[in-house]
Amino acid sequence: MTQHFGEGIPIRSMIDTDRTAADLSRRGVLLGAGAFAALSALAETMLSSPAAWAQAAEEPGQSFAENHVLKLAETLSQRAFAKPTQDLPEPFNALSAEQYRDIRFRHEAAVWRGEKLDYELQLLAMGWLYDVPVQIWIIDGDKARALKADSSNFSIGPSIEKAPAEAPFGFSGFRVAGALNRAGALDDFVSFQGASYFKSMGRGQQFGLAARALAINTARPGGEEFPFFRSFWIEKPAAGQPQIVVHALLDSESLAGAYRFAIRPGAATTIDVESHLFPRRALQHVGLAPLTSMYFHGPQQRRFVQDYRPAVHNSEGLAVINGQGERLWRPLANPKMLQTSAFVDKNLKGFGLIQRNREFQHFEDLEARYERRPTVWIEPVGQWGDGYVELIEIPISEEIHDNIVAYWKPAAVLEPGKRVSFSYRMTWGGDLPAVWAGAWVGKTQVGATRAADTLQFVVDFVGPAARDARELPTADLFVSSGATSKLSVQRNPDLQGIRVKFELNTSGTELIELRLALKLGDQLISESWLYRWTPA
């Protein structure tokens, strides 16, 4: 079904009634990502031989040039895909989640510990879901040195009995600690582990939603393909350097790729991403800059009324600034059936998954502290052309599962043998980095009324345009079906904003798309609130 909402902004809607939630459920942490990449002199051997991995780790250092990973990715794409494997001895070939948590990297063994730099690396072991080793190289000047999984750098707890002396047997990823929250102290602020997933945060926050390098065939027939990072090259920073740079080699059945991440911690941590993709075959559905999050319930959707917490989510909405400069806000949902939405655009200005409410009272969870989860904003570098932001919402019955995915889907097919490059900036912080004098949605609330099949919507707008409006704006409301009534606009002094209320009769409908914005005369002064109603 396709609906068109004013200003030429089409939204494609789809509810998949043929596949169950179990078919498309996601694990909180996806299967680990593989390795065995190498430097140019060893590339042919390293990409196919586990034995060469240990041999390369003994090398005193290999030369590393800026285009090194790019050349490896191109070479890799020209041969048939072969996912690397490594046999693990018992019990490391079948660790439980509890046992895996009992493998701890010793902080005193951190890379660059004691060198008076602003960063340290902590290595993550193989095991549990992470059953494929990731090669990690340290770049110092123009030389790269591979790290070995030295058992003396890890402690293994009592839940793992009879652990071999050489355990653990490889790396599954790494964390970076830096000067984020306190002077003279280093705190974890970015982590790469599992497929092509990575997480970060800003000052005073904690890990929440995740990003990944690429999405392929997400929520499409035939199943999703998960590209993974084979290898990482991490540049040793100079003293006082404001950023740390990570290079990564991506691989998958459909393509290979080279990535560069320039990461700067701060009140809002930024990651500048450069990527070059080399398809092995034509790709119809690729998601650029994908984000993965969790939305369980909140004030706009009270399916889980026995939960004492008012809201449970890592992100509460999708925000988009389209090519025309219009700002869109779509509250997230935990639907009964898988749903996708496509926000068609050209030369997108930005999109992200947003955690807008920062008050503890909104969540009431002393352990999870959802109010501290980061917002992530994606800003393209250069023009990305035609395509759409796709939002995927998957049903979940527990908050341990990530059920929200958002990415940019380019309209053009990625053709084999043709290099495709794109760049963007990620901002991990408290809100959108773009300053704006308009109004935005502070809260969406939905509840029942006494009338049959009728809901009441309450949407609060905040921000300069709502706070400073001398005259009351009008509400521009559109619904694709159903019937609305009792539309009202009033000031909300507690929020220094504007409240819009209306009722919606849903009788005889299975899906309703709604759009709401504030106007002064003909001028739009707020972001456009978008909402999809389906039977709860």
Side-chain angles (χ1 to χ4, degrees):
M1 178 182 295
T2 302
Q3 303 293 341
H4 298 274
F5 291 89
E7 306 272 327
I9 309 298
I11 301 178
R12 190 189 68 196
S13 309
M14 182 272 278
I15 299 181
D16 192 329
T17 57
D18 296 325
R19 284 175 285 172
T20 65
D23 294 328
L24 291 149
S25 64
R26 298 173 171 277
R27 306 175 194 177
V29 182
L30 292 171
L31 289 179
F36 300 132
L39 297 171
S40 55
L42 299 173
E44 186 69 31
T45 306
M46 289 283 294
L47 291 172
S48 59
S49 171
W53 176 49
Q55 176 186 348
E58 301 294 342
E59 294 290 331
Q62 301 288 336
S63 60
F64 183 91
E66 187 67 25
N67 64 350
H68 185 81
V69 183
L70 179 71
K71 290 183 177 179
L72 275 179
E74 185 174 18
T75 299
L76 187 61
S77 71
Q78 294 168 359
R79 57 170 67 104
F81 171 75
K83 187 173 183 178
T85 60
Q86 180 171 340
D87 294 332
L88 297 177
E90 294 183 354
F92 285 85
N93 58 352
L95 293 178
S96 66
E98 178 185 4
Q99 288 175 313
Y100 182 73
R101 286 193 293 269
D102 235 2
I103 305 174
R104 296 180 175 87
F105 185 76
R106 300 182 188 276
H107 290 281
E108 64 271 18
V111 179
W112 307 319
R113 171 63 61 97
E115 296 190 34
K116 297 182 180 180
L117 302 179
D118 292 330
Y119 304 95
E120 290 181 353
L121 295 183
Q122 301 169 12
L123 304 173
L124 303 174
M126 292 175 62
W128 186 39
L129 300 178
Y130 309 105
D131 59 355
V132 182
V134 172
Q135 181 71 50
I136 298 177
W137 300 78
I138 301 300
I139 303 171
D140 192 351
D142 63 351
K143 298 291 184 181
R145 174 178 57 88
L147 299 181
K148 284 188 65 176
D150 190 332
S151 60
S152 65
N153 295 334
F154 293 83
S155 66
I156 298 179
S159 67
I160 304 176
E161 299 179 359
K162 300 179 180 179
E166 62 270 26
F169 300 91
F171 303 126
S172 62
F174 64 93
R175 290 191 297 260
V176 183
L180 182 67
N181 296 313
R182 302 160 293 168
L186 301 183
D187 300 302
D188 295 347
F189 71 94
V190 66
S191 172
F192 287 81
Q193 188 182 33
S196 66
Y197 281 77
F198 58 99
K199 293 185 176 185
S200 190
M201 70 179 94
R203 186 172 300 137
Q205 296 184 326
Q206 65 185 52
F207 288 128
L209 77 167
R212 48 182 163 148
L214 205 66
I216 299 178
N217 293 333
T218 305
R220 292 302 184 275
E224 182 167 5
E225 180 179 326
F226 290 94
F228 59 89
F229 286 130
R230 281 179 169 266
S231 302
F232 294 97
W233 292 259
I234 306 165
E235 295 185 15
K236 181 179 181 179
Q241 184 170 309
Q243 69 178 18
I244 186 167
V245 176
V246 176
H247 305 263
L249 178 65
L250 188 77
D251 199 10
S252 183
E253 293 181 7
S254 298
L255 54 74
Y259 279 72
R260 181 183 186 273
F261 303 91
I263 310 166
R264 290 175 295 281
T269 293
T270 61
I271 303 179
D272 289 331
V273 182
E274 299 176 15
S275 68
H276 307 278
L277 303 177
F278 298 89
R280 289 186 172 97
R281 60 192 183 198
L283 293 174
Q284 301 283 344
H285 198 92
V286 173
L288 306 184
L291 302 175
T292 302
S293 192
M294 180 274 294
Y295 182 90
F296 189 41
H297 69 83
Q300 68 260 29
Q301 188 185 44
R302 303 182 186 277
R303 282 178 55 197
F304 302 92
V305 294
Q306 294 183 346
D307 196 328
Y308 77 92
R309 299 165 297 180
V312 177
H313 50 72
N314 283 333
S315 307
E316 61 187 288
L318 168 72
V320 178
I321 303 179
N322 64 26
Q324 291 74 45
E326 183 183 7
R327 293 171 179 248
L328 310 177
W329 174 256
R330 165 68 182 275
L332 298 176
N334 178 9
K336 274 193 170 183
M337 295 174 289
L338 176 130
Q339 301 187 34
T340 70
S341 304
F343 304 84
V344 180
D345 198 6
K346 181 175 183 177
N347 294 330
L348 169 82
K349 288 184 168 59
F351 76 97
L353 292 177
I354 314 300
Q355 188 76 315
R356 195 163 265 181
N357 199 305
R358 295 297 175 184
E359 297 178 356
F360 170 76
Q361 291 77 10
H362 184 75
F363 301 98
E364 293 286 349
D365 194 322
L366 286 171
E367 286 73 39
R369 304 309 300 245
Y370 289 110
E371 73 276 8
R372 297 178 183 172
R373 304 299 173 99
T375 278
V376 180
W377 182 250
I378 306 294
E379 183 180 359
V381 175
Q383 295 186 342
W384 283 5
D386 293 325
Y388 54 84
V389 174
E390 182 158 55
L391 172 66
I392 298 170
E393 298 164 301
I394 302 169
I396 55 172
S397 57
E398 296 179 280
E399 64 196 87
I400 61 173
H401 303 292
D402 284 341
N403 65 320
I404 303 297
V405 184
Y407 49 74
W408 173 256
K409 161 66 174 68
V413 175
L414 273 60
E415 298 290 350
K418 295 183 179 180
R419 171 175 149 187
V420 179
S421 302
F422 64 92
S423 300
Y424 56 94
R425 167 166 288 187
M426 312 181 74
T427 302
W428 302 69
D431 205 345
L432 274 67
V435 177
W436 191 46
W440 56 87
V441 177
K443 183 182 288 187
T444 299
Q445 300 181 85
V446 183
T449 69
R450 294 182 179 180
D453 301 319
T454 301
L455 298 171
Q456 183 173 65
F457 286 77
V458 179
V459 183
D460 285 312
F461 290 86
V462 296
R467 181 191 63 222
D468 302 334
R470 294 185 178 181
E471 57 182 286
L472 207 59
T474 59
D476 186 10
L477 175 63
F478 170 83
V479 296
S480 61
S481 58
T484 61
S485 62
K486 299 183 180 179
L487 175 65
S488 68
V489 180
Q490 61 189 114
R491 297 189 187 276
N492 185 340
D494 287 343
L495 295 178
Q496 294 185 312
I498 301 294
R499 170 166 287 188
V500 179
K501 297 170 63 177
F502 64 92
E503 292 186 1
L504 174 68
N505 185 283
T506 63
S507 178
T509 60
E510 291 296 322
L511 183 150
I512 302 175
E513 300 278 9
L514 301 92
R515 183 186 183 101
L516 171 67
L518 297 180
K519 286 187 173 182
L520 281 176
D522 294 330
Q523 183 179 2
L524 191 70
I525 66 166
S526 74
E527 65 184 7
S528 296
W529 172 87
L530 307 176
Y531 191 92
R532 173 181 295 163
W533 175 86
T534 57

